[in-house]
Each structure stands twice: as C-alpha cells, then as structure tokens.
C-alpha cells in the first residue's frame, strides 16, 4: 500500500477547494477515476460522522469503485481550513483511499497503519511532527509496538 506525503502543497483554507485540488493530483497519479465522485464521497462520509481525531487532524476515508489502487495520502496544509464539517483548525489530514477489492497484504498494511495511529506517540507525530520526522516514521512503516495507547 502506497503512503504519500503532501507537505504544504495545497494552498487553500477551503474544504471543497482542497478536495478538488487533491482529487486532481490523485486522478493524475491514477489513484482515482472521477474527481467529482471523490469529493462527493469524502463530504458524504464526513456528514455521516466526523473523522477528526485530534484538534488539528482528521482521517477522512472512502471505499469506492472509483478508487483504482489503495493509498494513504497524508496532507499538511500551511494554514488551517476555515471549516472541516463544522470544525476549525484542521491543518493535517490522513486520507485513506480504499478500492472495493484489495489484496490481503494491502488490507493488513492499512489496518496496521491505523492501529499504530491509535498510539499516542504516533498520533502526536501525525498531528504535530515535522516533515522529516513523519517521513522517517513512514520509511520504517511504523512497525513499533512499544509505547502506551493513551494520550
């Protein structure tokens, strides 16, 4: 499963603008088929229940026929979004893009990624860590099982 980091690549404080910019990048990378469908599905998912897991971090995720390959897209914005489904201050997002069919290996990697994200030190890294620290963590794929789960 590919994990990609976009560090201050998107220059907007508007949710829909960010989603269309990201969708454009994902479509060019052949991760998704349809930009409008991607934006609609992310917004629809957020309306079901918030995916905010820290004061500045959300984990939007979709499972869709329009997703061609599994991918985790880590986005760090230079300025917080004015509104992420009713919340202000979100400047980091971890998008999980899941196709309808995924290999057993990709399923395990995705599950392990989110299990690790539930650990305090990993959550803090994704919500406050530097680009270098985040990339170093991702290079090792976060296989560390030490540390507590409570923050």
């Amino acid at each position: 499963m590919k994990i990609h980091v976009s560090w201050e690549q998107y220059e907007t404080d508007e949710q829909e603008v960010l989603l269309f910019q990201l969708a454009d990048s994902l479509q060019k990378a052949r991760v998704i088929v349809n930009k409008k469908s991607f934006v609609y599905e992310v917004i629809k998912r957020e309306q079901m229940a918030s995916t905010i897991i820290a004061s500045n971090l959300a984990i939007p995720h979709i499972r869709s026929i329009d997703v061609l390959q599994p991918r985790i897209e880590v986005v760090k914005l230079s300025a917080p979004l004015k509104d992420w489904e009713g919340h202000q201050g979100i400047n980091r997002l971890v998008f999980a893009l899941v196709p309808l069919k995924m290999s057993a290996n990709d399923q395990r990697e995705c599950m392990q990624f989110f299990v690790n994200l539930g650990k305090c030190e990993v959550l803090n890294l994704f919500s406050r860590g530097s680009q270098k620290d985040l990339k170093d963590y991702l290079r090792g794929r976060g296989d560390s099982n030490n540390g507590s789960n409570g923050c």
Side-chain angles (χ1 to χ4, degrees):
M1 166 171 260
K2 182 166 181 169
I3 300 176
H4 182 260
V5 177
S6 300
W7 200 266
E8 299 182 355
Q9 175 180 335
Y10 303 104
E11 297 291 331
T12 185
D13 61 0
E14 300 283 340
Q15 177 190 30
E16 192 168 319
V17 173
L18 169 64
L19 292 175
F20 272 106
Q21 288 176 355
L22 177 60
D24 190 53
S25 295
L26 292 170
Q27 191 173 40
K28 287 177 183 172
R30 300 182 198 272
V31 175
I32 64 168
V33 175
N34 185 311
K35 292 186 284 192
K36 286 182 182 178
S37 176
F38 168 79
V39 172
Y40 170 78
E41 289 186 45
V42 171
I43 290 172
K44 180 179 162 189
R45 170 60 189 87
E46 281 298 309
Q47 290 171 344
M48 290 171 45
S50 176
T51 59
I52 296 172
I53 61 171
S55 62
N56 68 327
L57 177 65
I59 55 168
H61 49 282
I62 62 168
R63 183 172 182 247
S64 172
I65 194 168
D66 290 325
V67 176
L68 300 174
Q69 53 186 301
R71 181 157 163 163
I72 294 176
E73 187 78 20
V74 179
V75 175
K76 182 348 186 135
L77 301 171
S78 54
L81 295 170
K82 288 191 281 189
D83 181 28
W84 181 264
E85 297 309 320
H87 300 277
Q88 296 179 338
I90 299 299
N91 70 341
R92 294 181 184 217
L93 302 107
V94 178
F95 290 88
L97 308 168
V98 180
L100 293 183
K101 293 188 178 187
M102 198 161 74
S103 73
N105 187 53
D106 283 338
Q107 288 176 23
R108 278 190 300 277
E109 282 186 34
C110 187
M111 184 180 75
Q112 188 61 52
F113 177 86
F114 284 101
V115 165
N116 288 343
L117 190 58
K119 297 176 184 175
C120 186
E121 66 276 7
V122 177
L123 180 62
N124 287 335
L125 175 64
F126 276 84
S127 65
R128 297 186 201 118
S130 70
Q131 181 179 17
K132 180 190 180 310
D133 290 344
L134 191 58
K135 285 189 173 185
D136 287 349
Y137 170 81
L138 292 172
R139 267 197 266 313
R141 279 292 216 233
D143 293 327
S144 170
N145 287 319
N146 55 10
S148 83
N149 288 335
C151 289

